[in-house]
Amino acid sequence: MEAYSIDLRARVLLAVDEGIDTRREIAETFGVTTRWIRLLVQHRRKTGSIEPLPHAGGWDPKFTPERLERLKTLVEKKPAATLDELRKCSRIRCCNMTVSRALKQLGFTRKKRRYVPVSKIAPR
């Protein structure tokens, strides 16, 4: 999720500093929440800036570039393997959804049926 723009932050704080409206009315005017306004005022008081904080990180990816290459070779060797089989063969502790996202990152798509049996009902 993107942080609110500096322009919006400055306009909201200007409205709060002027004190003409309540925070609820300011929130409705600018399309933000009163909680966000409170946090923004606290952030300005604490840091002296209205800049958003940088992204704090998150989980390290389970599939590093080397592991992605290994997964790619596994898929090329066994194209009919299921997500569970690929997860077990890759020896990475993760869920099937993680393997699915890694395959999508590699550019693999879901399998599609090539053959559809002919309908047994004749057209009228």
Side-chain angles (χ1 to χ4, degrees):
M1 185 173 181
E2 291 287 322
Y4 287 120
S5 69
I6 301 297
D7 178 53
L8 177 65
R9 291 167 177 259
R11 289 186 289 141
V12 168
L13 286 174
L14 181 66
V16 169
D17 292 341
E18 289 178 356
I20 297 172
D21 293 333
T22 65
R23 287 192 181 178
R24 178 173 287 161
E25 292 169 340
I26 293 170
E28 288 176 7
T29 302
F30 291 103
V32 296
T33 62
T34 55
R35 181 177 185 275
W36 180 79
I37 294 174
R38 181 176 48 82
L39 292 173
L40 180 62
V41 170
Q42 286 177 357
H43 177 69
R44 180 180 64 175
R45 188 180 320 123
K46 183 178 176 182
T47 64
S49 170
I50 61 172
E51 296 281 330
L53 294 173
H55 182 59
W59 293 96
D60 290 333
K62 293 284 186 179
F63 281 94
T64 60
E66 299 83 28
R67 289 177 172 177
L68 280 173
E69 284 300 316
R70 192 168 47 199
L71 181 65
K72 185 176 181 179
T73 57
L74 280 171
V75 172
E76 289 169 352
K77 286 180 185 175
K78 294 176 70 176
T82 63
L83 291 175
D84 196 42
E85 292 170 344
L86 290 172
R87 181 181 54 82
K88 289 176 183 174
C89 290
S90 65
R91 297 184 186 142
I92 298 173
R93 288 187 60 174
C94 63
C95 66
N96 289 345
M97 193 64 211
T98 304
V99 178
S100 176
R101 288 186 193 113
L103 292 173
K104 188 173 182 180
Q105 186 178 353
L106 289 170
F108 289 104
T109 58
R110 295 177 62 185
K111 294 180 185 174
K112 297 168 182 70
R113 282 179 74 176
R114 291 184 178 207
Y115 175 74
V116 178
V118 178
S119 175
K120 294 184 180 187
I121 301 172
R124 294 181 183 191

